[in-house]
Amino acid sequence: MSAPVTVLNVNGWCRNGSTVIGNVLGEVPGVVHVGELHFLWKNSTGRGVNDRCGCGAALTACPLWSAVLPVGRPAGMPADAHAAEVIRRQRARLRTRHTWRVLRRGAYDADTRAHAGLLGAVYREVAARTGARVIVDSTKIPGESALLPHVPGVEAYWLHLVRDPRAVAHSWREPKEYVYAMSAARSTAYWHGFNRASAAINRRYPDRSAFLRYEDFTADPAAAIGALLKLVGVDPAANPVRDRTVELRGNHTVTGNPDRFRTGPTVIRDRDDGWRRTLTGRQRLAVAALAWPLSTRYGYRSGGPDRDPAHPGAAARAGETER
C-alpha cells in the first residue's frame, strides 16, 4: 500500500494571504500548491468567476488539471453533469455552516462519503502527476476541510490563517480582475463566521493544526514558512525565503487571488496597513462591531495588530488555537 499524501489545508476567510503563502510553500521541492481545489469542478465548466489555472491555461487545457478532471467521473457521464453533481454535494453537505456537523459525524451519508472518495482520488492523482509528497490546498471552506480525516489515502494537516479584519475589508473594497467587491460589513460578517469554523477544526485536531496571523507572516516570513514546513514533516532547510524575497515560478493553482499569476523575485512587504488610509469611520465601526470578540482574541486592537515578542513572526504554532 502506498504512503498517504500529506495535505495542508488552509482555512480562514478570503483575502487572508493564503495565495502568497501557498505559492511560497509551493517553491519547496516535493510541495505543490493547488490553490482553491474546491472550485475545480465549478470553474472548469464555466460556472465560476474564472476558468484559468495559475499556469495561464484554461483548466480544461492545463496539462495537470485536464488529466485530473476525469478522475472519479462515472463512465459515460459528461463532464458537465459530473461537475453539477459534485457542486450539489458541496452545497448540500460541506458548506461552512456544516463544519460542526462534519466534525461530529464525519462522512455520515452517501453524499459525504462520495465526496471524500473523490477528494482522495484527486489528491492522489495530483501527487502522482507532480511528484509531490505534500499538497497545499488553500480552499478555505471549513465544512469541506473538516471532512479530510475521512478522505482515503490522505494525512491531513490544517492551517488557520487570520488577517486583520480591517485589512480584509480594505482588500474587498474594489473589484480585482475576476474577483468582485464586497462591503466592509459583509466581509467582516464572513470573517467572523469562517474564523469560528476554522478554529473549531484546530480545536478538534490540535496536534495537526497551526494558527498564523498574516501580520506575523509578513513580520518574519522565513520563520513562519519554516514552522509550517516543520508541521508537515518537511526539512525547514528547504525554506525558499531569503531576506524577505522568494523566487516564484509558475504554478497550477485552480483559483485564488489574481496575484497567483505573478512570477519572478517577489518581496514580501512588512506592512499591511492600507486600511488606515481607505476605511471611513463608519466602516471601521462596522468592522469593530462585527469582528468582536474574535478580533480582540487574535490581538487586533484599535491601533492595529499587536506583535507578540515571545513569538516573533512564527505564530504558525502547531496545536495552537485562540484561547
Side-chain angles (χ1 to χ4, degrees):
M1 184 176 180
S2 59
V5 178
T6 296
V7 174
L8 175 62
N9 197 270
V10 183
N11 282 315
W13 174 231
C14 301
R15 308 294 181 93
N16 64 355
S18 63
T19 296
V20 65
I21 290 175
N23 279 351
V24 172
L25 289 169
E27 294 303 321
V28 176
V31 180
V32 64
H33 178 215
V34 297
E36 300 176 11
L37 184 68
H38 172 92
F39 298 98
L40 174 63
W41 298 273
K42 185 176 182 178
N43 287 6
S44 65
T45 54
R47 294 174 168 87
V49 295
N50 81 100
D51 67 350
R52 284 192 297 159
C53 172
C55 70
L59 291 167
T60 51
C62 166
L64 175 62
W65 297 115
S66 63
V68 172
L69 277 165
V71 171
R73 185 192 310 162
M77 177 179 279
D80 194 72
H82 175 59
E85 176 61 13
V86 173
I87 295 166
R88 183 197 65 77
R89 293 196 302 252
Q90 291 172 324
R91 289 176 173 170
R93 297 289 186 270
L94 300 166
R95 299 175 72 173
T96 298
R97 68 186 66 166
H98 301 133
T99 303
W100 291 268
R101 182 168 62 189
V102 177
L103 287 174
R104 289 194 308 269
R105 301 176 63 185
Y108 63 93
D109 66 359
D111 278 348
T112 52
R113 287 191 292 272
H115 198 67
L118 174 63
L119 286 178
V122 167
Y123 284 133
R124 293 192 299 273
E125 187 70 15
V126 169
R129 290 186 174 275
T130 62
R133 185 179 67 80
V134 177
I135 296 174
V136 180
D137 180 352
S138 52
T139 285
K140 300 180 293 297
I141 304 289
E144 192 168 71
S145 179
L147 186 64
L148 284 179
H150 309 280
V151 171
V154 162
E155 184 175 58
Y157 292 83
W158 293 269
L159 169 63
H160 180 189
L161 181 60
V162 175
R163 186 181 181 188
D164 189 322
R166 294 162 295 192
V168 174
H170 162 78
S171 182
W172 278 106
R173 287 170 51 252
E174 297 178 354
K176 186 177 183 180
E177 293 188 38
Y178 50 79
V179 181
Y180 52 86
M182 186 181 295
S183 71
R186 186 180 180 194
S187 76
T188 308
Y190 278 123
W191 182 95
H192 193 276
F194 275 65
N195 282 311
R196 282 187 63 244
S198 302
I201 296 174
N202 277 35
R203 284 195 299 269
R204 181 65 178 271
Y205 303 106
D207 295 337
R208 291 179 176 270
S209 299
F211 174 79
L212 175 64
R213 296 192 310 177
Y214 177 72
E215 294 78 16
D216 293 323
F217 163 71
T218 60
D220 191 345
I225 294 297
L228 292 175
L229 293 176
K230 186 176 180 180
L231 174 69
V232 297
V234 175
D235 186 354
N239 194 326
V241 180
R242 298 289 182 271
D243 297 325
R244 308 191 61 82
T245 301
V246 61
E247 181 77 25
L248 295 178
R249 297 167 293 178
N251 61 72
H252 287 293
T253 49
V254 170
T255 191
N257 190 298
D259 289 346
R260 66 196 173 103
F261 297 112
R262 293 182 180 178
T263 58
T266 300
V267 178
I268 299 167
R269 296 178 298 174
D270 64 351
R271 298 187 67 84
D272 186 37
D273 58 358
W275 58 270
R276 296 180 185 276
R277 301 184 303 275
T278 61
L279 294 189
T280 66
R282 179 174 293 182
Q283 288 172 326
R284 294 190 193 192
L285 182 61
V287 171
L290 292 168
W292 188 87
L294 289 187
S295 56
T296 300
R297 193 173 300 173
Y298 295 147
Y300 298 120
R301 306 185 189 281
S302 59
D306 294 339
R307 297 292 190 196
D308 183 351
H311 303 283
R317 302 183 287 274
E320 180 156 335
T321 59
E322 69 265 35
R323 293 183 285 274

